[in-house]
Amino acid sequence: MMLKRFVLAGVALLTAVAASGQSFVDITKKAGISFKHSTGATGKKYLPETLGSGCAFVDLDGDGYPDILLLNGDGYPALYRNNRNGTFTDVTAASGLNIRMKAMGVAVGDYDNDGRPDLYITALDGDRLFHNQGGMHFRDVTKQSGIVNANFGTSATWFDYDRDGKLDLFVANYVEWSPEKDIYCTLDGRNKSYCTPESYKGTASRLFHNLGNGQFEDVTKKAGLYDTTSKSLGVVALDYDMDGWPDLLVANDTQPNKLYHNNGNGTFTERGVAAGVAFSEDGVARAGMGVDSADYDSSGFPSVVIGNFSNQMLGLYHNEGKGLFVDEAPSSSVGRASLLTLAFGMFFWDYDNDGLTDLFIANGHLDADIHKVQQRVFYAMPPHLFHNLGGKRFEDVVAKVGPDLQQPKVARGAAYADLDGDGYLDVLVTTNGGPAYLYRNTGGENRSLRLRLQGTKANRQGIGARVRVETSRGWQWQSLKAGQGYCSSSEDVLTFGLGRDAAAKTVEIIWPDGAKERLTNLAAGQTYTVTEGAGNTESKPYAKVASDSRRTSGSGSHGR
């Protein structure tokens, strides 16, 4: 009888998903995206060839529509301007970004608070900081900035660790590798093969403190973050203990993950082991790739997902409060579904706007011949789309949202944004040695509202702010981040799913400096710009509001 009820429940869920008609459609070609990633491979089997590269969704020209940046492992990046009609135009040639790089990751942040987001790109031949000049034009200001990271940089994140109103920069570095330090590895005793990360020494990641006037200081050692044992691929800023100071979680490959607690005095203390995020459930350091954080069960504390190698499953660390995490993946569908996949890009989001935080995972192996050795593991893999069922339960529904998204690929970076202004989040995925993919979310019957923050005392983008939204089903909250997953950045607008509600009852904003604001009765179907301390908001209706109930915006008023 129990089995019968379980089967019926599964059928009911499948029917509900199918009935909604929501799907993800590959619009890459239609949108004018023609990028193909170059690994830079020359037959020498260099380690970096297997890892690149990331991407970003970011509104670079301030028109309210996210543009696209795609990174290349050996060549020019590609910058696509959003034409606001479902298509994009390649504007790389005149952007100032047309510089040949061996790029890995990108973090987006307005470091000088001029209202224009700037770009930090990690690259094997030296990281670069590009200042946004306006009009989709950029200037390389790396030398003037004082930032030096000629290392194996991977992911990076902007965050204001000392809450002085200026964005600081953390850069995750991988291993001590260069063409001169390359190690000859072989499986058959004759032909060279790609080395595993165990073959190389770790290297310290870097923290750069924003001094203002475009200048940065390397404070890695002063802050207590200098650690040459780490082999870092992913980083996310989060306030895991909710004390108001942003902390750092760093995903390490074959080394323990690190959780750096912000002491509030310019220093950090490493607490990964004590917090329970350093290892797997059985005490093993896994191959940490991408990482993200969110409160997926409305506990009031941010939990964490970390991508790992095939045969290791994801790490889904639930924040129990009091500085302790418990990995729930081994006992959940998240662990079972991800056991044979290899996760890179990832993010928490609410793809169906039901008010519950879902999870997207981009997968792809490093070894093109892995299937010959492990018959259940493949080089190209479909992604995971874990739908939040409530009660800390997830189901992988990638096979239920149309045929396009589930196509296997050798994925690396991933980002999300509302590319067409309809209130539903779309997806960008990069592949190693292959094309980038752009998927449009066709939407469903649920509503949403979007919040764009403008700091005054806090940093201009409001990075690090926490926003709580009350609907008929209770409270949900998000923190605004600048860099997540693997080598990628998603848009800096917060999207809150409201289900069938016509408005949010209450919206509470806690700015990075601790200042609080409260808004009431914010209508669905609107993008609100909230300026810190102004006491009011500006709103703009979604660009596409269909005549049927799936895109009805609702009505309401708002005030402090």
Side-chain angles (χ1 to χ4, degrees):
M1 194 65 177
M2 286 293 293
L3 177 61
K4 183 178 180 180
R5 285 201 297 267
F6 177 79
V7 172
L8 289 175
V11 172
L13 177 61
L14 176 59
T15 303
V17 172
S20 72
Q22 186 171 8
S23 63
F24 288 87
V25 179
D26 185 347
I27 62 168
T28 312
K29 185 176 181 180
K30 181 179 178 181
I33 306 296
S34 58
F35 174 84
K36 183 178 180 181
H37 175 261
S38 171
T39 65
T42 60
K44 295 182 179 180
K45 299 284 186 177
Y46 285 160
L47 177 64
E49 299 166 4
T50 65
L51 294 174
S53 297
C55 59
F57 261 133
V58 51
D59 180 8
L60 291 170
D61 54 2
D63 65 355
Y65 285 77
D67 309 298
I68 289 174
L69 177 67
L70 300 167
L71 301 182
N72 221 331
D74 186 19
Y76 294 167
L79 179 61
Y80 287 91
R81 184 188 63 223
N82 191 327
N83 297 324
R84 297 181 286 180
N85 61 3
T87 67
F88 291 77
T89 298
D90 188 338
V91 296
T92 312
S95 69
L97 298 177
N98 54 330
I99 300 173
R100 193 175 188 90
M101 289 180 275
K102 298 181 183 298
M104 289 292 296
V106 56
V108 179
D110 182 4
Y111 72 85
D112 58 352
N113 291 328
D114 66 354
R116 296 188 296 264
D118 309 299
L119 302 172
Y120 184 82
I121 296 178
T122 62
L124 291 170
D125 42 359
D127 298 0
R128 294 177 184 267
L129 177 62
F130 291 95
H131 182 260
N132 189 337
Q133 304 291 103
M136 302 292 279
H137 297 289
F138 296 83
R139 182 167 59 96
D140 186 344
V141 296
T142 313
K143 289 184 179 180
Q144 301 95 300
S145 72
I147 294 176
V148 178
N149 190 56
N151 209 329
F152 199 148
T154 51
S155 299
T157 189
W158 295 96
F159 74 131
D160 184 4
Y161 78 90
D162 56 352
R163 304 198 314 187
D164 66 352
K166 301 185 294 292
L167 288 176
D168 310 299
L169 177 68
F170 182 87
V171 184
N173 288 321
Y174 190 35
V175 295
E176 287 188 8
W177 181 92
S178 66
E180 296 74 28
K181 294 181 179 180
D182 184 65
I183 298 173
Y184 191 95
C185 296
T186 180
L187 295 177
D188 58 12
R190 299 186 305 275
N191 300 306
K192 190 178 188 231
S193 62
Y194 288 110
C195 294
T196 64
E198 289 93 340
S199 304
Y200 294 95
K201 294 180 180 180
T203 186
S205 297
R206 297 288 172 177
L207 176 64
F208 296 98
H209 179 233
N210 191 337
L211 301 175
N213 299 317
Q215 300 291 309
F216 290 81
E217 177 190 7
D218 186 339
V219 295
T220 310
K221 292 184 178 180
K222 185 189 302 183
L225 295 174
Y226 189 79
D227 177 9
T228 59
T229 67
S230 291
K231 301 178 181 181
S232 305
L233 288 173
V235 59
V236 65
L238 75 165
D239 184 3
Y240 78 92
D241 55 355
M242 302 298 281
D243 65 353
W245 294 90
D247 313 302
L248 291 169
L249 179 64
V250 180
N252 286 319
D253 189 1
T254 70
Q255 292 294 315
N257 303 314
K258 301 296 173 64
L259 178 62
Y260 293 106
H261 177 260
N262 190 332
N263 299 321
N265 60 2
T267 69
F268 292 77
T269 301
E270 206 289 300
R271 294 182 177 172
V273 174
V277 298
F279 304 104
S280 66
E281 191 181 45
D282 52 358
V284 176
R286 294 183 285 190
M289 307 289 188
V291 59
D292 198 14
S293 69
D295 181 7
Y296 62 78
D297 67 339
S298 298
S299 69
F301 291 90
S303 295
V304 172
V305 62
I306 299 178
N308 294 306
F309 216 75
S310 53
N311 298 305
Q312 292 183 341
M313 76 174 56
L314 292 168
L316 184 62
Y317 296 95
H318 182 260
N319 193 332
E320 304 287 304
K322 298 181 181 180
L324 181 65
F325 293 78
V326 174
D327 188 358
E328 295 190 328
S331 60
S332 73
S333 60
V334 171
R336 293 189 294 271
S338 64
L339 179 59
L340 299 177
T341 51
L342 196 163
F344 274 94
M346 60 187 59
F347 47 76
F348 285 107
W349 64 334
D350 182 1
Y351 78 90
D352 58 350
N353 287 340
D354 66 353
L356 296 174
T357 302
D358 310 303
L359 178 59
F360 179 83
I361 309 290
N363 299 309
H365 211 279
L366 302 176
D367 185 354
D369 297 320
I370 187 62
H371 185 58
K372 297 178 182 179
V373 181
Q374 301 180 40
Q375 293 186 353
R376 298 176 64 195
V377 180
F378 296 87
Y379 185 47
M381 302 173 174
H384 297 300
L385 178 59
F386 290 109
H387 183 235
N388 191 333
L389 305 177
K392 298 197 292 188
R393 295 176 298 119
F394 291 87
E395 183 191 16
D396 191 352
V397 297
V398 71
K400 302 175 184 179
V401 291
D404 292 354
L405 190 63
Q406 63 182 294
Q407 293 302 310
K409 55 184 65 67
V410 187
R412 293 296 183 261
Y416 66 81
D418 180 4
L419 67 88
D420 51 5
D422 67 353
Y424 278 87
L425 296 175
D426 310 294
V427 183
L428 178 66
V429 177
T430 65
T431 64
N432 185 253
Y437 295 88
L438 183 61
Y439 298 98
R440 180 177 179 268
N441 186 340
T442 64
E445 298 180 352
N446 291 324
R447 300 162 174 161
S448 67
L449 66 82
R450 287 163 54 79
L451 293 173
R452 178 179 286 108
L453 305 180
Q454 288 189 353
T456 52
K457 294 180 180 179
N459 67 87
R460 181 65 177 267
Q461 286 173 282
I463 300 299
R466 299 198 304 270
V467 180
R468 298 176 74 236
V469 172
E470 183 186 15
T471 67
S472 61
R473 69 183 305 163
W475 287 94
Q476 57 177 298
W477 71 274
Q478 297 181 44
S479 179
L480 186 57
K481 295 167 287 190
Q484 89 296 315
Y486 173 75
C487 292
S488 300
S489 292
S490 295
E491 67 172 353
D492 61 356
V493 181
L494 297 175
T495 300
F496 288 90
L498 303 182
R500 303 301 175 86
D501 288 4
K505 296 179 180 179
T506 307
V507 174
E508 295 180 352
I509 302 170
I510 303 176
W511 295 93
D513 60 1
K516 298 180 180 180
E517 296 192 47
R518 180 183 177 92
L519 308 169
T520 58
N521 204 27
L522 267 60
Q526 303 276 334
T527 299
Y528 294 89
T529 299
V530 184
T531 301
E532 181 184 12
N536 55 31
T537 66
E538 296 178 3
S539 63
K540 180 180 179 181
Y542 290 166
K544 297 180 180 180
V545 180
S547 59
D548 64 10
S549 62
R550 290 185 302 168
R551 302 290 168 86
T552 301
S553 64
S555 61
S557 61
H558 54 86
R560 193 168 183 174

